[in-house]
């Protein structure tokens, strides 16, 4: 933080805070949840303090990244409903980036669908989410992302029809 005070680089510092949250969960599991969430709250506070128009700072991307990481952290702690809310917030934030945000948006949709399908067993909702996102990816020229989303959709469709 001291280096940031001398030579501000909010995007890098926010990335570090998100990485700390990931590393805490990797090392401590559920016991590290509060520490991981604290790192993400610090990232939120930093984002809120960045003046509008700061060069190199893309607010929608930074917010989306923090929501994405918070969703993953909460999912690891098996707080699935909260995790889904954060994943959806990441999707919405990345959507604000227009074409630039499509790739990150697709990844946030994938995580939301994994939480929705695997953890919450809401396969129909996850399938609808994945169908729309894959079509959006194809339209944006993101064929690999569309294939990944389609594969997950197919898995959920199979599981739904087989009652698993």
């Amino acid at each position: 933080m001291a280096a940031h005070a001398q030579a501000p680089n909010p995007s890098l510092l926010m990335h570090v805070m998100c990485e700390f949250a990931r590393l805490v969960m990797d090392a401590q599991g559920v016991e590290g949840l509060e520490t991981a969430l604290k790192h993400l709250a610090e990232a939120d506070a930093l984002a809120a303090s960045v003046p509008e128009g700061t060069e190199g700072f893309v607010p929608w991307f930074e917010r989306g990244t923090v929501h994405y990481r918070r969703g993953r952290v909460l999912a690891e702690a098996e707080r699935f409903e909260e995790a889904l809310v954060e994943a959806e917030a990441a999707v919405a934030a990345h959507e604000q980036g227009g074409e630039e945000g499509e790739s990150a948006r697709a990844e946030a949709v994938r995580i939301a669908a994994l939480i929705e399908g695997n953890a919450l067993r809401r396969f129909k909702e996850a399938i609808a989410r994945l169908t729309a996102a894959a079509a959006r990816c194809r339209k944006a020229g993101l064929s690999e992302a569309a294939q990944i989303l389609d594969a997950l959709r197919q898995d959920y469709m199979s599981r739904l029809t087989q009652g698993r």
Side-chain angles (χ1 to χ4, degrees), residues 42 64 66-67 101 104 144:
E42 289 172 359
V66 174
H67 283 298
E144 185 177 350

Side-chain angles (χ1 to χ4, degrees), residues 28-97:
Q28 298 175 17
V30 174
E31 270 127 55
L33 177 63
E34 291 310 313
T35 301
L37 291 175
K38 181 180 169 224
H39 287 302
L40 296 169
E42 289 172 359
D44 285 335
L46 176 59
S49 74
V50 176
E52 191 173 321
T54 296
E55 187 175 336
F57 187 79
V58 182
W60 62 264
F61 180 79
E62 303 302 344
R63 280 191 315 274
T65 299
V66 174
H67 283 298
Y68 173 84
R69 180 54 53 197
R70 188 175 291 112
R72 303 253 341 222
V73 162
L74 289 165
E76 288 177 50
E78 297 185 2
R79 289 172 52 177
F80 300 120
E81 291 289 350
E82 293 168 86
L84 182 58
V85 168
E86 288 296 326
E88 289 173 338
V91 171
H94 289 304
E95 191 165 326
Q96 293 175 356

Side-chain angles (χ1 to χ4, degrees), residues 78-155:
E78 297 185 2
R79 289 172 52 177
F80 300 120
E81 291 289 350
E82 293 168 86
L84 182 58
V85 168
E86 288 296 326
E88 289 173 338
V91 171
H94 289 304
E95 191 165 326
Q96 293 175 356
E99 286 183 26
E100 281 184 64
E102 281 302 316
S103 181
R105 182 186 182 283
E107 171 58 11
V109 167
R110 185 184 74 84
I111 292 300
L114 285 168
I115 294 165
E116 199 164 42
N118 291 341
L120 299 173
R121 314 303 284 175
R122 297 179 191 156
F123 293 116
K124 289 179 183 177
E125 293 87 343
I127 289 167
R129 177 188 305 275
L130 291 163
T131 300
R136 188 173 169 141
C137 285
R138 279 190 287 282
K139 184 178 178 185
L142 300 171
S143 59
E144 185 177 350
Q147 289 172 355
I148 290 167
L149 297 174
D150 282 335
L152 183 55
R153 181 178 55 83
Q154 278 301 115
D155 177 50

Side-chain angles (χ1 to χ4, degrees), residues 16-25 36 39-40 69 73:
V16 167
M17 290 172 181
C18 287
E19 187 63 8
F20 281 165
R22 185 189 70 76
L23 291 170
V24 165
M25 291 303 290
H39 287 302
L40 296 169
R69 180 54 53 197
V73 162

